[in-house]
Amino acid sequence: MKQYYDVEAVRKLFPAVEKMTYLDSGFQTPMSTPVKQALEAFVSESYETAGPKSVWIERMEATRAKVATLLNAAPEEIAFTKNTSEAMNIAANALPLKAGDNVLMIHGDHPNNAYAFLNLRKKGIEVRFIDMADIVNAESFASLIDANTKAISMSYVTFHAGHRFDIESVGTLCREKNLYFIIDIMQAVGVVPIDAKTVRATFIGCGTHKGLLVPQGLGLLYWDRTRIELEPAYLAAISLQNPPSDFIARPDDMAVADTARRFEIGNFNLPGIHALDAALDLIAQIGIDNIQAHCFELGDRLIAGLEELNIELVGPRDHALRAPHIYVAALPADEWMDYFASEDVRVSPERDGVRISLGMFNNASDVDRLLEVIRARRETGRAPRAA
Ligand SMILES: Cc1ncc(COP(=O)(O)O)c(C=O)c1O
């Protein structure tokens, strides 16, 4: 296999992956040493000095700038949230929608994206779904657009089959039709390059516990700052352009910040943000293009191995249509998951099979071991059928 970076050195930073065959980054990545050290340093400061909050906030701004670089955005366009769901709900409720308007989505997309918009139905907003398909692009949505269509919301990469949809063409369509464009990048971020400007996104949301290597409880929101009309549904002092320095609320001065801070509410997940800082440094050091290329190579090896075993791949095979790191093998999950667990192979059950998802630390031996474990069960004669 081609070496895009020193995978074995990276692997040493994730001790958990030496104890099992970890192929479940689409669920959550194991903690790395730099992230652990960042969390420990935060705990020590907090424990020993009662917390230099102003220093933590300064560091948070430095982390915000790194997030902005990752998405080709300005730091003023990045807000910290709790997770993807919160980011999607902030976005959905900031859109200036009225009864009779409609929003377009993909049927079967992640529910944490869908419910944020389905909840708007109580305000008389319609949610229209296109069918899930291997290819989703501008053309997929075009026929559903009418004069009342105001937005499209979709995932970039699907969690259940690793599709990588054509968000660039959908973004262009949204620009042409004057629609807001909201993208859930939870399964893409940290592995697939994302350029908020090229895809002309209005909002982009994600959590950080998959490709961004942080424990659960921290999310990100990108907001196109030219969309100044988009205001938050919730408000706290931090959301304002002029938070009152005497901590007395001023009903006559409630203009929201002209940055993405308008979408932030109250205090922050500072341990998570410290962890994210370390993770972003690690990702930048390796290079997102290298992570992507490495995962594609492993994916190609996996697809070839599954083919040899006569196991179908769910979802697209073509690099142009798939994410580098998410693959679903058409094996009935209920018959295989216990077996994989008994062999210390970590994968996830999915709607159409078993999901194998890769991270920066996976190597060819991980893929080969998975294939070997499948082959071994088949050869004992107790092998479950292919789905
Ligand atoms: C596409 C997608 N969106 C969102 C989520 C999770 O949402 P949240 O970050 O709110 O837990 C996942 C998986 O956990 C996902 O795959």
Side-chain angles (χ1 to χ4, degrees), residues 83-86 110 112 155 157 159 184 186-187 207 209-210:
N83 50 33
T84 323
S85 306
E86 191 175 65
H110 199 281
N112 287 356
S155 293
V157 167
F159 70 102
D184 172 349
M186 182 47 161
Q187 289 291 357
H209 64 268
K210 301 187 199 285

Side-chain angles (χ1 to χ4, degrees), residues 17-338:
V17 307
E18 294 298 356
K19 298 185 187 124
M20 64 189 99
T21 303
Y22 196 87
L23 296 164
D24 209 10
S25 291
F27 171 63
Q28 136 128 59
T29 32
M31 190 179 290
S32 66
T33 308
V35 165
K36 176 171 176 271
Q37 284 169 345
L39 286 167
E40 283 169 351
F42 180 86
V43 169
S44 297
E45 273 177 345
S46 190
Y47 189 66
E48 287 157 22
T49 70
K53 185 170 172 183
S54 59
V55 175
W56 290 340
I57 297 294
E58 264 172 43
R59 287 190 204 140
M60 175 175 84
E61 294 310 325
T63 309
R64 193 192 300 275
K66 291 178 190 177
V67 173
T69 302
L70 184 74
L71 301 180
N72 187 30
E76 294 78 14
E77 295 179 306
I78 304 298
F80 291 106
T81 66
K82 181 178 155 202
N83 50 33
T84 323
S85 306
E86 191 175 65
M88 289 296 131
N89 274 275
I90 289 170
N93 288 285
L95 301 181
L97 304 179
K98 56 181 190 324
D101 287 344
N102 66 69
V103 176
L104 309 187
M105 302 195 75
I106 307 168
H107 178 72
D109 204 342
H110 199 281
N112 287 356
N113 182 2
Y115 283 124
F117 289 89
L118 283 170
N119 195 34
L120 298 178
R121 291 198 305 182
K122 63 189 180 204
K123 296 182 184 166
I125 289 136
E126 187 192 349
V127 179
R128 297 180 178 174
F129 290 103
I130 63 162
D131 288 337
M132 178 72 70
D134 275 2
I135 298 177
V136 170
N137 57 21
E139 213 177 299
S140 321
F141 288 102
S143 68
L144 282 191
I145 296 175
D146 63 20
N148 295 324
T149 305
K150 295 290 152 53
I152 295 178
S153 179
M154 64 186 284
S155 293
Y156 182 19
V157 167
T158 66
F159 70 102
H160 68 280
H163 308 89
R164 186 160 55 92
F165 292 141
D166 181 2
I167 50 175
E168 212 170 311
S169 80
V170 180
T172 303
L173 174 74
C174 287
R175 176 62 58 92
E176 282 164 12
K177 302 280 182 189
N178 200 21
L179 310 179
Y180 295 109
F181 186 29
I182 301 97
I183 313 172
D184 172 349
I185 58 164
M186 182 47 161
Q187 289 291 357
V189 70
V191 184
V192 179
I194 293 150
D195 183 326
K197 302 301 172 193
T198 302
V199 298
R200 301 179 159 98
T202 311
F203 284 113
I204 294 176
C206 66
T208 58
H209 64 268
K210 301 187 199 285
L212 292 183
L213 314 173
V214 174
Q216 282 99 339
L218 177 65
L220 305 171
L221 178 72
Y222 159 86
W223 160 69
D224 172 359
R225 64 178 158 173
T226 66
R227 299 291 204 162
I228 204 80
E229 75 278 15
L230 303 178
E231 296 219 341
Y234 294 114
L235 217 54
I238 192 91
S239 335
L240 300 178
Q241 186 68 14
N242 304 308
S245 54
D246 59 2
F247 283 83
I248 297 172
R250 299 278 190 292
D252 57 347
D253 187 7
M254 289 176 49
V256 293
D258 59 8
T259 68
R261 203 160 45 79
R262 62 175 57 193
F263 297 111
E264 291 179 330
I265 307 166
N267 277 291
F268 295 89
N269 177 352
L270 290 172
I273 291 168
H274 279 66
L276 178 62
D277 196 78
L280 290 172
D281 285 348
L282 178 60
I283 291 166
Q285 227 175 300
I286 300 170
I288 202 98
D289 290 330
N290 289 330
I291 296 171
Q292 170 168 254
H294 174 65
C295 288
F296 265 132
E297 287 237 347
L298 290 180
D300 291 344
R301 188 180 187 98
L302 173 66
I303 292 175
L306 290 175
E307 207 161 59
E308 243 175 62
L309 292 169
N310 250 330
I311 298 169
E312 226 178 277
L313 180 77
V314 177
R317 301 171 65 96
D318 187 343
H319 277 205
L321 301 179
R322 70 171 154 95
H325 57 308
I326 298 177
Y327 301 90
V328 174
L331 295 170
D334 54 343
E335 295 174 27
W336 279 87
M337 286 306 295
D338 286 349

